[in-house]
Amino acid sequence: MKRKKIKLYTIGFTGKSAEAFFTLLTEAGVQKLIDTRINNSSQLSGFAKASDLEYFLEKIGGIAYEYNVEFAPTKELLSDYREKQIDWSAYEKKYVSLLKERNVASFAHNAVYLNASCFLCSEHEPDHCHRRLLAEYLHQINTSIEIIHLM
């Protein structure tokens, strides 16, 4: 029996207007946005500040909001990368190791949780962002996960 594909989206808010951001989510059919940021209340987040984001998602698209800190990097890991104490390759290894420690693999087969969900981070593109690493890690465990980056 063929397993049904799980559509898992990712999105970053930097470089997007609120209109573009919410249009991408609603047109893709996202049902839940999972915030994977370590700091989701920064003033720099603008419309993506957690308290506002939850309201906008529901009002604009009927989209649920969830904050899952288990998916976020640690402050130390993020700081080490931003301050160039480690390169991207080292960041990837440490972040994936962190996902293993936190038993994030337990989410990989939960289609109800993941399908039509979208991982949020601030990075504009997924190339050097933990949301891509997280989605790819879950895909390695469950290949029925289809990753779609909203840009």
Side-chain angles (χ1 to χ4, degrees), residues 71-96:
F71 293 162
T74 62
K75 288 181 181 180
E76 296 78 21
L77 179 56
L78 198 54
S79 176
D80 286 351
Y81 176 67
R82 286 183 175 160
E83 294 173 10
K84 301 192 184 314
Q85 293 178 5
I86 60 172
D87 65 9
W88 180 250
S89 178
Y91 178 91
E92 283 182 307
K93 288 179 184 129
K94 289 181 182 222
Y95 178 69
V96 170

Side-chain angles (χ1 to χ4, degrees), residues 36-38 68-80 86 89-107 130-131 133-134 137-138 141:
T36 69
R37 299 173 289 171
I38 191 69
N68 192 327
V69 73
E70 293 296 305
F71 293 162
T74 62
K75 288 181 181 180
E76 296 78 21
L77 179 56
L78 198 54
S79 176
D80 286 351
I86 60 172
S89 178
Y91 178 91
E92 283 182 307
K93 288 179 184 129
K94 289 181 182 222
Y95 178 69
V96 170
S97 193
L98 183 64
L99 295 177
K100 290 176 183 175
E101 285 173 32
R102 292 175 174 171
N103 194 29
V104 168
S106 65
F107 291 94
H130 73 277
R131 72 179 188 268
L133 301 176
L134 171 60
Y137 175 72
L138 293 172
I141 297 160

Side-chain angles (χ1 to χ4, degrees), residues 14-84:
T14 301
K16 291 178 185 67
S17 67
E19 180 181 4
F21 178 82
F22 292 107
T23 298
L24 284 167
L25 293 171
T26 56
E27 286 183 355
V30 169
Q31 295 175 6
K32 176 175 45 185
L33 185 114
I34 302 170
D35 194 336
T36 69
R37 299 173 289 171
I38 191 69
N39 181 8
N40 65 354
S41 60
S42 167
Q43 293 296 349
L44 299 175
S45 299
F47 66 84
K49 198 165 46 171
S51 57
D52 295 333
L53 186 56
E54 185 172 7
Y55 173 82
F56 291 140
L57 287 166
E58 176 59 35
K59 291 296 181 192
I60 294 170
I63 299 169
Y65 171 85
E66 178 182 315
Y67 178 55
N68 192 327
V69 73
E70 293 296 305
F71 293 162
T74 62
K75 288 181 181 180
E76 296 78 21
L77 179 56
L78 198 54
S79 176
D80 286 351
Y81 176 67
R82 286 183 175 160
E83 294 173 10
K84 301 192 184 314

Side-chain angles (χ1 to χ4, degrees), residues 7-12 16 21 24-25 30 33-34 117-121 123-127 129-136 146-151:
K7 288 191 175 199
L8 177 61
Y9 300 90
T10 81
I11 194 169
K16 291 178 185 67
F21 178 82
L24 284 167
L25 293 171
V30 169
L33 185 114
I34 302 170
S117 290
C118 184
F119 292 150
L120 169 75
C121 193
E123 296 295 326
H124 176 62
E125 294 183 0
D127 303 355
C129 184
H130 73 277
R131 72 179 188 268
R132 176 185 60 84
L133 301 176
L134 171 60
E136 289 175 356
E146 176 186 2
I147 302 167
I148 303 156
H149 300 291
L150 301 175
M151 308 246 304

